Amino acid sequence: MSSASSAVPARSVRWSGDEFGTLTLIDQTLLPVEFRENEYRTVEEVWEAIKMLRVRGAPAIGCAAAYGMVLGLQSVAQASREEFNTRLAAVADYLAGSRPTAVNLFWALDRMRSVAEAEAALSSSSMLARLLSEAQAIEIEDREMCAAIGRHGAALLNAGDGVLTHCNAGGLATAGDGTALAVMFAAAAEGKQIHVYADETRPLLQGARLTTWEVMQRNIPVTLICDSMAGWVMKEGKIQAVITGADRIAANGDSANKIGTYSVALLAKAHNIPFYIAAPSSTFDLAIATGEEIPIEERKSDEITHGFGRQTAPAGVDVYNPAFDVTPASHIAGIITERGIIAPVTTENVVSMVQR
Ligand code: MRU
């Protein structure tokens, strides 16, 4: 793995070359202090990048995993198709073990697997090239979905609105302009003067480190608040809408997103402020009926006790660190997808929008 620094932000996920090429990811753990792109040559490096949140955000994880499969199969390009298929199954299972909650990871891996199954007659080398084109299609489609989410969602915002978001659902988290942030970017591009409020997003500070960085680059006014301030800022009348991304949405609309999102949704309800989710169809998991079935990732305690290298809790303290929570559909005013807005959020409306 090699790395390069740049002052200009590039795409979060980028492939270079043909099927024997390399994957470049922005190392999101270093932002906003350092902008660095790392070049990946092995599937093990990509697994580590997903696990450690160097690449993060549900759609970006899906794109990185698809390219990670190509990297993991380069070594069997000259092998028999049987050997290629055995390796493909192992690589997909390996990448699937990196993070459990964002369904885009499993969606992308399944899509790659299905292509290989459908084209069983291709030689291994042709199959590798075909898989690269599928990964590139996933990336391009994600970019288009972000743009469409922005277009649909912008209609929900009015000039003068304060819009709160939690975590980072921007360009860094996708192959395009993001989901929740795409809505804000599109509204601003339409000339609506909005003001973004970014929750800091404990414990890994995706809001403070990444969302404010992205919004500032777009010259849109943004104010950083601690997570614990959201209720008060709503009470003060500064927030007219809340929009977040999602990591997995069940058939009834229950939506998993970064830990703290559920609290924000409850606060929005208490203050009569609409709470929206923005997510592409690749984030829906219609195989599960409700959010009860969404697996929630638990991460290491040192993210809380030693955030960014400094000890902030007594040694040996008991810690609970779920990385995501689930907001019930009943608290969601609408889900903004690339196909339109699901509102009210019911199983019937979710299924008919996602399956059409
Ligand atoms: O742990 P992370 O940083 O990967 O969590 C990311 C989020 O919760 C995002 O809001 C979600 O993936 C949507 S990104 C468009």
Side-chain angles (χ1 to χ4, degrees), residues 28 53 55-61 99 102 104 166-170 173-174 178-180 204 206 210 244-247 256-259 261 278-280 283 297 299 323-324:
Q28 300 188 35
L53 276 61
V55 60
R56 47 145 299 283
I61 291 171
R99 294 190 75 187
N104 307 59
H166 190 77
C167 195
N168 171 266
T174 65
T179 58
L204 296 182
Q206 289 92 332
L210 308 176
T244 75
D247 288 83
N257 192 50
K258 178 53 53 194
I259 191 73
T261 304
T283 300
E297 176 181 14
R299 295 187 62 89
F324 298 94

Side-chain angles (χ1 to χ4, degrees), residues 275-297:
F275 173 90
Y276 300 105
I277 292 280
S281 47
S282 52
T283 300
F284 287 78
D285 185 355
L286 298 188
I288 60 172
T290 75
E292 292 280 316
E293 296 168 67
I294 298 177
I296 301 293
E297 176 181 14

Side-chain angles (χ1 to χ4, degrees), residues 15 34 41 64 69 226 239 245 283-285 305 322 339 347-348 351:
W15 183 265
E34 184 183 352
R41 294 173 192 277
M69 276 192 76
C226 298
I239 308 294
T283 300
F284 287 78
D285 185 355
T305 59
R339 295 171 190 172
T347 304
E348 200 189 350
V351 171

